Amino acid sequence: MRPFHYERPRGLEEAIAGKTEAARFLGGGTNLIDLMKYDVERPASLLDLTRLEGLREVERNGEGALRIGALVTNADAAAHPLVREHHPLLADAILAGATAQLRNMATMGGNLLQRTRCYYFYDRQTPCNKREPGTGCPAKDGVNRIHAILGTSEHCIATHPSDMCVALAALEAVVVVRGPSGERRIRMEDFHRLPGDTPERDTTLDAREVVTAIEIPAGDYGRHHTYLKLRDRLSYAFALVSVAVAMELREGRISRLRVALGGVAHKPWRVKEAEALLEGQAPEEECFGAVADRLLQGARGYGHNDFKIGLARLAIARALHQAAAAAPQSHVAKRIA
Amino acid sequence: MMHHPLIGTPQDRVDGRAKVTGAARYVADFETGAEVLHAHVLNSAIATGRIRRIDTSRALAVPGVVEVFTHENRPRTAWFSSAYKDDVGPPGKPLRPLYDASIAYSGEPVALVVAESYETARYAANLIEVEYEAKPHETDLLKQLPNSYVPKKRRSGINPPPRPKGSAASALENAPVKHVARYLIAAEHHNPMETHATTVIREADGKLLIHDKIQGAYATKHYVCSVFGLSEDAVRVVSPFIGGAFGSGLRPHYQLFLAVMAAMALERSVKLVLTRDQQFTIAHRPETWNEIALGAKPDGTLSAIRHKAVGSTSRYEDYQEAVVNWTNLLYSAPDVELEYELVQLDIETPSDMRAPGAPLGAFAAESAMDELAEKLGVDPLALRLHNDTQIDEVMNKYHTSKELRAACQLGAERFGWRHRPLAPRSMRQGRELIGWGLAFGAWEAQMQKHAARVMLDAEGHCTVGVATADLGTGTYTILAQIAAEALGLSMNKVTVLLGDSALPQAPVSGGSWTAASAGSAVHDACARLKAELLLAAQTRNDSPLVGAKLEEVMFDRERIVLMRDPMRAVSLQAAFAAGGRPRIVADGQAGPDQLTQLRYSSHTHSAVFVEARVDEELGQVRVTRVVSAVAAGRILNPKTARSQVVGGVVWGIGMALHEEAMPDHNLGRWMNHNIAEYHIPVHADIHEIDVIFAEEKDLLTSPLGVKGLGEIGIVGTAAAVANAVWHATGRRVRELPMTIDKVLGLTPARTEAR
Ligand SMILES: Cc1cc2nc3c(=O)[nH]c(=O)nc-3n(C[C@H](O)[C@H](O)[C@H](O)COP(=O)(O)OP(=O)(O)OC[C@H]3O[C@@H](n4cnc5c(N)ncnc54)[C@H](O)[C@@H]3O)c2cc1C
Ligand code: SF4
């Protein structure tokens, strides 16, 4: 990797002050350091956040919203009693990702900001608009098994690879960030962006902003939720397609439904009209197809990933079934339930 | 008095402790502190063409960079490509790294940076600017099928298909039942835990001590001496531990050439460790296309076999392996046509990978046998046994032994095969469909010329030396067992030395021949040593063993005992004292017996039974049960033997469900070149694996009765998984890996699209 400065800011203010375009915040380093070794990320300096105070708490406020500090590790978040009790969907999604070793290092902030796993993005000897704007997108007619089917552009068809973020989207979380001009709250649906003609930008976070926490509003899904992840082996692989469902059932009818898809777009994919289709309805399997159709409206494949459209349809139906039956997908059992 | 046998008993690995505590030193662990320079390779970004301009000035300007080598400034080495030939390379012109401006494949080395630290070298390599003149390339096997050809020169050690027997074409035409289909297996890259590496230590006198990831120290030595024109005594190769290789370490790779070149040019010690990504630029199992046609009588008797395979190779070498011969080796038919051809692509030369060729042919043949059984409406096991061969019909020879039927019976019983319903989609539990499938497998049992040395001292310490390598296979352990048992010592009195070109000569360890060959050589050396020991014990006139012949004594618990009168014995210590020598050294040999080879063919066999569970809607496959029943002659150590077979089975599951090197044909480059995206099975994918060894007496294959176990575990596994998936779902997937989309039928078959 290229030589860089390593700094340990003593407080948030110092971290923000030190953050230039050429600097990167360092969380667990599980993604950033890899990319530096591959010469994809070339920061002039690393601002190590991991020793900062006050970003490691998990707490619930008066309205029942859960606030998870940006430096809480993925492993700690998934194991935290408040998370397990109030948002098991989040715990499940985190546990569906990576491995125990990686989750022990990975932070909530870093997970939000992890970059795509597009093969070309990682390989500096190939063109890639996300890595080097204007060089082209070889994935479109190349190897694109893991690429997007929704919200793509002619410039980039990459996906956001996070499992955690798919659950956060379904839970309508808010990303709390701090910049030179103070604090800002960004809704999950606005945090990641579609590639458009600037695929080099993954999120709406400003270069000088730092993520300080993730907030999840109160919601009562009981056991009516699931995180279903389909992949090329039963653990330690990114999602081909994943589905997070949070369902509120009242007297046998769906009073509130949130569905987010992973592995299919540059951001966790939600379509509110699709969710509305089932609200007020009994969770009958016959209706699930319509939800899938609406969620996947406009989907297109690029060759190797054509199958994702069909697979997503099947996965959505199964996930809705799991949520309705209060039988969330286990991430310990070596099988899809 | 009872003799305590060691051979045939489960023994822990003698090197186990060293491995788990980190005491075992692998290539990259050999250091000479600050003395050693670190090198990093820059690989080509294009698949074919030439380097128009290469600018290393920015790299050279980095503090700590000692030198950057390219084709423009490389030291003069051997001129002719023949000097680059290695011990087991295929016909053709081997890669000559940095030889000139031309590029033969994406990933070929174009520059070597040598620096004071690894990080500096790797960083500086990224600063090298290369301007290429790209030429059109071709990396798509299926597109090139019309250009396939029969290799002009056969690769030594690989039997080409035999001449056709009868007329398969007309027999097929007349066959009342037939099956014709195409099968495709993706390219796979070897990903041993230890990536390829070479550490060259330059001694004060200019001699080279080379630690290289190689499956036989002599292979490296021969190559280095030939390419660099060095004398035999100027090079010693020491590689005591190899962190897996699976065939990727049979040939020297570019990191060896480059590290030696740099060490000689700079007169310094140099270490070169490839990255995981670079592991995808040296060797792979070739993508292979099969077309198979089987004809049968209504009673299931095969009347015709036609099996053609086309494998990919590079532009510069005709890599070959045995893909199609197995089909007729396993199944008898009067009319047989076997063909094996190659297609040249702009890729690196493929290389042997665990059971090279066999699982590819077996996937086609054993899937096809299942499909034929379906058409005939018979049990696939019954169909196989009905057509089982009694002699090797490919070579027209007798088998030295073939207990496939016994293995099959044991396996079927353990698995519960007789409870299998004939029709697919007959078993389910919850949302999962359950299927049972099986396949046969075979692999050659061979002997190769090996030498061994055994030394015993007066304290009863024994040292065994053979140049062969232990790739994690258990060679250290079985050689210790053989020597300890022969000499009547406990295991902890035996030290085995391997992987050193100063030791008695052995070829590369591969092809499953090491246990039989190195084991027999050690056994032979021990026999000679025992004769000398007995002589020593008989030196004194009052020796209790006076007049005893070698056959009349046994070596037990550090004593030489007369069998007919166990009270008459001499301790090893006393024998040494009487003989007056502090130690006794004996050399042994083993090799193939020409006469036996002329008359017999020798193979290991297996019957693999698999249970697969498939989520009916989502296509997720789980291999929940495997019984691999193996007939492989004498089993030296059931514990290490089981590990070998389990490893093969796991890999077979990976071949069936996960492993796939994905080429971008526009760029002519493998794209998933890391083990996050190149998938192999993880724990969650692996369930019960049961290994059974059938008893098989074979005194013809090797003096020890051993046949070897390195490959047989993988051979039939992928086919058995495919057959189980069909039995579960009714869907036949003919292209590996069977990813979720193929199991669901969401991705069209590539072979049908032609
Ligand atoms: C082999 C492998 C397999 C994986 N499999 C999965 C998987 O299946 N599912 C999945 O979801 N993930 C998976 N991951 C990804 C893993 O979840 C991410 O690498 C991890 O979450 C990143 O967190 P980190 O703290 O290590 O981030 P870092 O690597 O430290 O940082 C990542 C990015 O976030 C920025 N950043 C970090 N913290 C902040 C902050 N507080 N404010 C602003 N910017 C910040 C950094 O500057 C950097 O750009 C896998 C990773 C690997 C290596
Ligand atoms: S999909 Fe995006 S990240 Fe991948 S090559 Fe195209 S531009 Fe780059």
Side-chain angles (χ1 to χ4, degrees):
Chain A
M1 58 178 83
R2 311 209 166 206
F4 57 91
H5 292 283
Y6 171 81
E7 286 155 38
R8 261 183 217 159
R10 273 160 302 177
L12 259 187
E13 300 313 319
E14 200 177 306
I16 294 164
K19 182 71 168 68
T20 58
E21 283 278 351
R24 289 284 180 280
F25 293 126
L26 178 66
T30 60
N31 190 215
L32 181 56
I33 304 295
D34 267 5
L35 287 166
M36 287 167 68
K37 289 185 189 166
Y38 283 120
D39 202 35
V40 173
E41 290 276 11
R42 302 167 179 181
S45 60
L46 282 189
L47 306 175
D48 187 348
L49 303 178
T50 54
R51 284 158 218 248
L52 292 186
E53 300 288 326
L55 300 176
R56 224 176 275 281
E57 285 66 38
V58 179
E59 52 204 5
R60 229 158 94 91
N61 69 12
E63 288 102 66
L66 193 69
R67 186 183 169 99
I68 307 173
L71 288 181
V72 175
T73 66
N74 283 181
D76 285 346
H80 199 280
L82 285 175
V83 176
R84 298 192 77 91
E85 187 188 338
H86 299 285
H87 298 292
L89 171 59
L90 176 61
D92 282 350
I94 292 173
L95 292 178
T99 61
Q101 295 91 328
L102 283 158
R103 295 192 298 266
N104 283 340
M105 289 301 290
T107 62
M108 298 300 277
N111 193 322
L112 276 175
L113 286 149
Q114 65 172 298
R115 312 217 57 192
T116 183
R117 304 306 289 202
C118 169
Y119 321 101
Y120 303 88
F121 177 71
Y122 270 77
D123 184 343
R124 66 184 285 278
Q125 291 192 314
T126 65
C128 167
N129 283 332
K130 190 184 270 301
R131 181 168 27 80
E132 279 176 72
T135 53
C137 173
K140 276 189 305 177
D141 51 3
V143 184
N144 50 41
R145 179 171 180 78
I146 57 173
H147 288 71
I149 50 171
L150 287 161
T152 56
S153 77
E154 59 174 309
H155 303 287
C156 179
I157 61 168
T159 60
H160 191 260
S162 168
D163 291 300
M164 178 189 93
C165 292
V166 183
L168 289 177
L171 294 170
E172 301 192 303
V174 172
V175 183
V176 185
V177 310
R178 179 93 66 88
S181 44
E183 193 172 280
R184 196 155 75 93
R185 297 166 61 80
I186 310 174
R187 290 185 307 170
M188 201 53 201
E189 61 190 279
D190 302 324
F191 187 76
H192 295 98
R193 54 188 297 284
L194 292 180
D197 54 9
T198 48
E200 66 276 16
R201 294 193 53 210
D202 295 350
T203 67
T204 54
L205 193 71
D206 189 79
R208 303 194 55 190
E209 284 174 323
V210 61
V211 174
T212 56
I214 293 167
E215 260 184 40
I216 308 172
D220 184 13
Y221 302 103
R223 283 184 56 77
H224 295 289
H225 60 83
T226 193
Y227 186 71
L228 177 64
K229 178 178 180 182
L230 299 178
R231 45 187 147 176
D232 275 334
R233 59 183 169 196
L234 274 162
S235 178
Y236 203 16
F238 289 92
L240 293 168
V241 169
S242 69
V243 190
V245 179
M247 192 185 273
E248 240 173 51
L249 276 174
R250 288 231 175 92
E251 286 147 23
R253 292 187 179 277
I254 297 171
S255 52
R256 207 159 93 98
L257 177 68
R258 299 291 177 263
V259 183
L261 304 182
V264 295
H266 204 251
K267 60 187 292 189
W269 194 257
R270 266 189 72 193
V271 177
K272 289 177 188 164
E273 295 80 4
E275 297 164 358
L277 287 175
L278 283 192
E279 285 178 1
Q281 310 269 336
E284 306 286 353
E285 311 241 342
E286 304 86 72
C287 325
F288 295 168
V291 179
D293 284 343
R294 188 63 192 82
L295 267 161
L296 295 169
Q297 200 171 34
R300 66 162 285 201
Y302 290 83
H304 297 184
N305 69 350
D306 291 348
F307 72 90
K308 280 191 177 184
I309 303 173
L311 189 64
R313 196 176 299 280
L314 298 166
I316 292 164
R318 175 68 66 84
L320 287 169
H321 171 88
Q322 288 180 338
Q329 173 61 43
S330 156
H331 292 286
V332 189
K334 297 162 133 190
R335 60 181 297 180
I336 299 293
Chain B
M1 189 171 53
M2 262 306 293
H3 185 72
H4 288 281
L6 284 167
I7 295 180
T9 62
Q11 295 290 330
D12 291 347
R13 279 167 195 269
V14 294
D15 50 345
R17 169 177 280 270
K19 283 188 169 171
V20 298
T21 56
R25 292 218 281 172
Y26 294 86
V27 171
D29 298 331
F30 288 96
E31 291 265 6
T32 48
E35 288 300 294
V36 71
L37 294 174
H38 297 263
H40 188 78
V41 176
L42 178 69
N43 304 84
S44 164
I46 63 160
T48 40
R50 31 188 302 113
I51 300 168
R52 194 183 289 141
R53 192 183 66 89
I54 184 160
D55 182 352
T56 58
S57 55
R58 284 178 64 210
L60 280 165
V62 173
V65 170
V66 176
E67 182 59 288
V68 179
F69 294 100
T70 68
H71 67 282
E72 289 172 350
N73 69 343
R74 70 166 172 87
R76 279 181 60 97
T77 51
W79 199 253
F80 297 108
S81 69
S82 58
Y84 290 73
K85 284 263 182 221
D86 55 84
D87 292 357
V88 296
K93 294 186 171 170
L95 182 74
R96 287 174 286 175
L98 306 188
Y99 191 73
D100 57 22
S102 67
I103 300 293
Y105 67 91
S106 181
E108 176 179 344
V110 297
L112 182 77
V113 181
V114 188
E116 300 290 348
S117 79
Y118 172 75
E119 287 74 17
T120 307
R122 191 167 172 181
Y123 159 56
N126 287 335
L127 301 179
I128 298 171
E129 286 161 27
V130 192
E131 223 178 83
Y132 298 99
E133 192 180 308
K135 287 206 204 108
H137 60 256
E138 189 50 70
T139 52
D140 190 341
L141 171 70
L142 294 189
K143 245 168 93 182
Q144 289 300 305
L145 278 182
N147 300 327
S148 69
Y149 60 93
V150 178
K152 281 196 193 64
K153 215 171 147 203
R154 73 170 259 243
R155 179 179 171 205
S156 150
I158 303 295
N159 287 329
R163 280 163 194 273
K165 262 193 304 191
S167 164
S170 64
L172 278 165
E173 208 161 294
N174 300 324
V177 185
K178 64 189 143 201
H179 168 70
V180 187
R182 291 166 183 166
Y183 302 86
L184 185 67
I185 303 99
E188 297 179 350
H189 277 89
H190 310 73
N191 272 293
M193 245 203 287
E194 176 197 35
T195 61
H196 275 256
T198 303
T199 302
V200 183
I201 295 172
R202 194 177 175 278
E203 316 271 12
D205 56 4
K207 289 187 177 170
L208 302 180
L209 172 60
I210 302 176
H211 306 290
D212 184 34
K213 185 183 175 88
I214 191 81
Q215 291 178 227
Y218 278 91
T220 292
K221 179 167 172 152
H222 293 157
Y223 176 83
V224 169
C225 290
S226 168
V227 173
F228 295 96
L230 297 172
S231 65
E232 292 267 315
D233 66 340
V235 179
R236 180 172 169 197
V237 179
V238 178
S239 305
F241 290 98
I242 301 295
F246 314 112
S248 66
L250 288 169
R251 304 185 67 188
H253 288 294
Y254 64 68
Q255 96 284 349
L256 169 66
F257 172 90
L258 294 172
V260 174
M261 177 198 78
M264 288 176 64
L266 301 171
E267 304 191 344
R268 294 278 302 270
S269 296
V270 173
K271 182 185 288 193
L272 172 47
V273 181
L274 297 191
T275 62
R276 180 57 62 186
D277 294 62
Q278 288 170 334
Q279 193 67 33
F280 289 77
T281 65
I282 56 172
H284 65 276
R285 192 198 286 278
E287 184 181 15
T288 301
W289 173 93
N290 289 269
E291 186 172 70
I292 193 156
L294 300 175
K297 297 184 192 155
D299 73 348
T301 309
L302 284 177
S303 53
I305 298 174
R306 203 182 64 215
H307 185 174
K308 177 176 181 175
V310 181
S312 45
T313 189
S314 68
R315 294 273 183 216
Y316 50 96
E317 285 171 316
D318 273 355
Y319 171 78
Q320 296 157 54
E321 54 190 27
V323 180
V324 293
N325 292 12
W326 314 103
T327 310
N328 189 210
L329 179 81
L330 286 172
Y331 302 115
S332 177
D335 294 272
V336 180
E337 193 179 320
L338 304 173
E339 291 176 88
Y340 173 65
E341 296 186 356
L342 298 177
V343 150
Q344 285 200 345
L345 300 175
D346 298 296
I347 54 176
E348 75 274 14
T349 303
S351 132
D352 297 299
M353 181 190 281
R354 205 157 195 183
L360 311 179
F363 170 61
E366 290 296 283
S367 297
M369 282 299 277
D370 240 54
E371 297 197 61
L372 184 67
E374 183 193 354
K375 286 189 177 152
L376 287 160
V378 300
D379 174 67
L381 176 53
L383 179 69
R384 283 172 171 84
L385 291 174
H386 182 69
N387 289 289
D388 181 30
T389 53
Q390 295 314 307
I391 62 159
D392 174 349
E393 294 187 5
V394 181
M395 304 302 287
N396 242 318
K397 292 179 189 177
Y398 293 106
H399 294 292
T400 54
S401 60
K402 182 182 175 183
E403 294 298 343
L404 173 59
R405 279 172 175 272
C408 200
Q409 199 173 354
L410 291 170
E413 222 153 89
R414 179 83 54 93
F415 188 83
W417 184 262
R418 70 198 151 89
H419 302 297
R420 177 184 182 271
L422 201 56
R425 298 181 71 89
S426 306
M427 299 189 284
R428 68 167 70 226
Q429 193 173 47
R431 292 178 177 276
E432 283 183 325
L433 294 164
I434 304 171
W436 290 357
L438 97 152
F440 283 177
W443 183 253
E444 280 177 291
Q446 311 175 55
M447 286 276 281
Q448 297 277 347
K449 204 162 169 256
H450 276 64
R453 179 165 299 161
V454 178
M455 186 189 83
L456 188 68
D457 68 19
E459 277 76 54
H461 289 293
C462 170
T463 308
V464 175
V466 191
T468 191
D470 185 328
L471 320 169
T473 41
T475 309
Y476 278 110
T477 310
I478 56 148
L479 295 186
Q481 280 174 272
I482 291 168
E485 173 157 324
L487 301 174
L489 305 171
S490 57
M491 289 276 284
N492 60 15
K493 286 270 188 150
V494 181
T495 305
V496 178
L497 302 175
L498 302 177
D500 185 340
S501 66
L503 292 168
Q505 187 153 353
V508 284
S509 175
S512 291
W513 59 60
T514 300
S517 315
S520 297
V522 169
H523 189 72
D524 184 49
C526 287
R528 291 165 200 268
L529 194 141
K530 277 157 64 172
E532 293 220 24
L533 260 178
L534 179 60
L535 270 183
Q538 292 168 331
T539 320
R540 291 174 49 154
N541 298 337
D542 58 350
S543 165
L545 297 178
V546 160
K549 298 202 185 87
L550 193 55
E551 316 83 75
E552 294 170 344
V553 298
M554 67 180 183
F555 288 68
D556 185 38
R557 289 176 242 186
E558 306 195 18
R559 293 174 329 139
I560 311 172
V561 184
L562 192 66
M563 281 190 275
R564 67 171 129 46
D565 179 4
M567 297 304 284
R568 287 168 64 182
V570 175
S571 73
L572 293 188
Q573 247 176 340
F576 270 101
R581 280 189 285 168
R583 65 182 72 87
I584 300 178
V585 180
D587 287 322
Q589 301 271 341
D593 180 63
Q594 310 289 347
L595 222 66
T596 313
Q597 282 195 321
L598 227 58
R599 295 187 50 199
Y600 294 96
S601 95
S602 181
H603 293 86
T604 53
H605 293 91
S606 70
V608 193
F609 301 83
V610 166
E611 174 180 281
R613 293 177 181 240
V614 186
D615 186 290
E616 184 173 6
E617 287 158 29
L618 300 177
Q620 188 79 252
V621 178
R622 303 191 298 141
V623 174
T624 42
R625 216 150 56 85
V626 180
V627 175
S628 182
V630 174
R634 189 173 178 198
I635 302 306
L636 292 167
N637 180 344
K639 197 170 177 188
T640 52
R642 180 178 184 279
S643 292
Q644 277 296 298
V645 176
V646 167
V649 168
V650 171
W651 201 336
I653 293 172
M655 175 181 257
L657 302 179
H658 310 114
E659 279 200 64
E660 178 175 20
M662 300 180 184
D664 178 314
H665 295 311
N666 299 321
L667 298 173
R669 186 175 177 89
W670 307 112
M671 282 318 301
N672 54 337
H673 44 75
N674 59 69
I675 44 176
E677 294 303 337
Y678 179 92
H679 297 131
I680 59 169
V682 293
H683 283 291
D685 299 298
I686 302 300
H687 298 257
E688 256 177 73
I689 298 173
D690 211 342
V691 178
I692 302 175
F693 294 111
E695 193 156 319
E696 187 174 66
K697 290 218 163 40
D698 188 327
L699 292 169
L700 292 167
T701 302
S702 70
L704 283 173
V706 172
K707 279 185 166 179
L709 276 169
E711 342 276 321
I712 189 65
I714 190 175
V715 178
T717 307
V721 174
N723 292 339
V725 167
W726 169 78
H727 189 239
T729 62
R731 184 182 298 281
R732 178 60 65 175
V733 183
R734 300 193 185 91
E735 298 180 8
L736 299 185
M738 294 182 285
T739 44
I740 210 167
D741 45 315
K742 291 182 196 154
V743 174
L744 288 173
L746 291 173
T747 294
R750 291 171 59 219
T751 49
E752 304 304 320
R754 271 177 11 106

